[in-house]
Amino acid sequence: MDRATKDPIDWGRFTELIDRSERILLTSHIRPDPDAIGSEIGMCRVLEALGKEVEIVNAQPTPANLLFLDPDGKIKVLGETISQEWIDGIDLLLVLDTTAWAQLGAMSEVVRGTKATCAVIDHHVGGDDLGAILFKNETAEAAGRLVGQAAHHLGVALTPEMAIPLFAAVATDTGWFRFASVSPTTFRFTAELMEAGALPDAIYQVLYEQESLGRLRLVGRTLCKSRTKLDGRLIHTEITLADFQQAGADSSDSEDIVNMTLTVDGTELAFILVEQKGGGFKISFRSRCEVDCSQVAKKFNGGGHKKAAGAFVEASLEETRKKVMEEMINAWQAKYGATA
Ligand SMILES: [Mn+2]
């Protein structure tokens, strides 16, 4: 049984909107991920196939490991490589993969200021009123699949140049097809993308198998320091500046390590402390139980979501660990009682 039985998006309205737009600006969220970049490149090529004049402008540059999704350098950075004059002349501003002001960064000013029609294609639950026409499917696994639907409704056949970025979008937003958001539709769509020329092994290799030796060594050191509390339900670890230096890693290499700790059987909560060059510790919280991480992060003036949140603490390693541990244990006991 397919989870997404009824399509909440009015594609007829979308194709009408595209029909009457000639100059189209595409944008997406800050900290661009493969769904953001892949959806933009895919949509850009679909619209260009229809003879539209399209530019992609983001608030932040594309991360180096995702540049392969944009081989022609189509994505521009606001204020650096795109003129205000061009932006002033657009008919349609299409936001992909977000409906939140905070996620648009500096592009939020462009969305607020434009005289053009604004539209959103997104799969996130909820969001802000961006003053846009919404084409949202909150059960969709990735914005990239919605772009595939757009291509279908616009009568554009998928090419390899569309299929590769869209495959990267769907594959990464589903954790390589393992999240609960995956449905038979996901596999039907990705089968279409393969038929159009996307090679999953090649995309996987570029995304996940080009890491530095420093990153590998940092992961090893950090995972070795994992400890548990609450009878194994809470797992935590830490990275000091000395760890970065001795591993030959840089600050971005700490990404995702906290998620790896939650692969241990029985773990429900996790945190990692990452020492910052200017002093203090960045804390990442994760939960896969009823504990709301954002509430714990708030105690340290941080924030985020129920399952993932972050904060910063200006204190010694021992003091930071002690305080964070206390708050995590308190939060767990508030939900489940002091049995552990
Ligand atoms: Mn997405």
Side-chain angles (χ1 to χ4, degrees):
M1 179 67 188
D2 212 323
R3 290 194 182 113
T5 43
K6 192 182 173 297
D7 192 341
I9 294 179
D10 182 350
W11 289 109
R13 191 174 185 205
F14 181 77
T15 55
E16 274 167 34
L17 190 60
I18 298 302
D19 282 346
R20 59 181 160 86
S21 304
E22 282 311 313
R23 194 187 270 196
I24 302 168
L25 176 60
L26 305 179
T27 193
S28 187
H29 55 80
I30 52 172
R31 290 182 294 277
D33 59 14
D35 194 26
I37 302 291
S39 295
E40 289 179 321
I41 296 292
M43 182 58 92
C44 175
R45 286 175 170 151
V46 168
L47 296 173
E48 283 177 344
L50 294 167
K52 309 292 179 184
E53 191 186 338
V54 189
E55 292 281 4
I56 307 170
V57 182
N58 290 335
Q60 294 177 346
T62 306
N65 68 323
L66 301 184
L67 284 172
F68 78 103
L69 298 173
D70 181 20
D72 306 324
K74 190 72 201 172
I75 298 176
K76 299 190 163 75
V77 179
L78 181 66
E80 290 173 22
T81 44
I82 188 89
S83 73
Q84 189 59 44
E85 200 186 356
W86 196 91
I87 292 177
D88 288 343
I90 60 169
D91 305 309
L92 174 65
L93 200 168
L94 184 54
V95 179
L96 299 162
D97 198 34
T98 181
T99 320
W101 287 120
Q103 288 296 309
L104 286 168
M107 280 304 294
S108 63
E109 293 312 308
V110 177
V111 176
R112 280 182 216 274
T114 188
K115 291 183 193 77
T117 304
C118 280
V120 170
I121 290 186
D122 189 22
H123 67 124
H124 290 95
V125 176
D128 302 322
D129 179 3
L130 304 184
I133 306 168
L134 298 181
F135 299 97
K136 277 186 75 138
N137 182 347
E138 294 180 350
T139 68
E141 67 286 58
R145 185 166 65 76
L146 304 180
V147 172
Q149 283 189 289
H152 171 76
H153 288 279
L154 289 164
V156 176
L158 296 174
T159 64
E161 291 70 30
M162 297 166 196
I164 292 165
L166 293 180
F167 189 97
V170 175
T172 56
D173 256 30
T174 57
W176 220 265
F177 310 106
R178 74 184 199 277
F179 295 164
S181 58
V182 169
S183 71
T185 309
T186 313
F187 289 106
R188 275 184 218 109
F189 178 54
T190 46
E192 265 182 64
L193 295 176
M194 279 192 76
E195 281 159 358
L199 298 172
D201 61 332
I203 295 168
Y204 187 91
Q205 204 240 323
V206 181
L207 284 173
Y208 299 111
E209 295 175 349
Q210 296 195 343
E211 284 178 351
S212 66
L213 182 60
R215 156 82 178 171
L216 186 81
R217 288 177 166 165
L218 186 73
V219 170
R221 291 178 81 89
T222 311
L223 294 181
C224 274
K225 290 200 261 180
S226 300
R227 298 285 178 270
T228 62
K229 281 273 177 185
L230 291 170
D231 288 335
R233 295 182 185 97
L234 167 63
I235 187 161
H236 63 99
T237 186
E238 51 214 31
I239 309 176
T240 63
L241 291 178
D243 289 321
F244 282 112
Q245 206 207 345
Q246 284 161 27
D250 64 44
S251 58
S252 66
D253 289 327
S254 66
E255 231 169 81
D256 203 43
I257 297 180
V258 66
N259 300 319
M260 296 178 192
T261 65
L262 277 176
T263 60
V264 175
D265 187 26
T267 56
E268 296 177 4
L269 283 173
F271 70 84
I272 185 170
L273 311 177
V274 181
E275 191 174 7
Q276 301 297 295
K277 279 186 188 133
F281 288 83
K282 217 181 88 182
I283 313 150
S284 293
F285 305 90
R286 294 291 183 275
S287 167
R288 54 177 186 195
C289 59
E290 285 305 308
V291 172
D292 185 342
C293 280
S294 68
Q295 294 302 318
V296 183
K298 257 190 199 161
K299 307 253 181 195
F300 302 98
N301 296 316
H305 305 278
K306 190 178 170 188
K307 287 176 184 292
F312 173 79
V313 170
E314 185 96 63
S316 71
L317 176 61
E318 287 68 30
E319 206 181 326
T320 307
R321 189 198 301 125
K322 185 169 171 281
K323 281 185 190 164
V324 173
M325 187 88 75
E326 268 171 23
E327 293 298 345
M328 284 296 255
I329 291 173
N330 285 345
W332 197 87
Q333 289 179 342
K335 280 280 175 208
Y336 297 102
T339 49

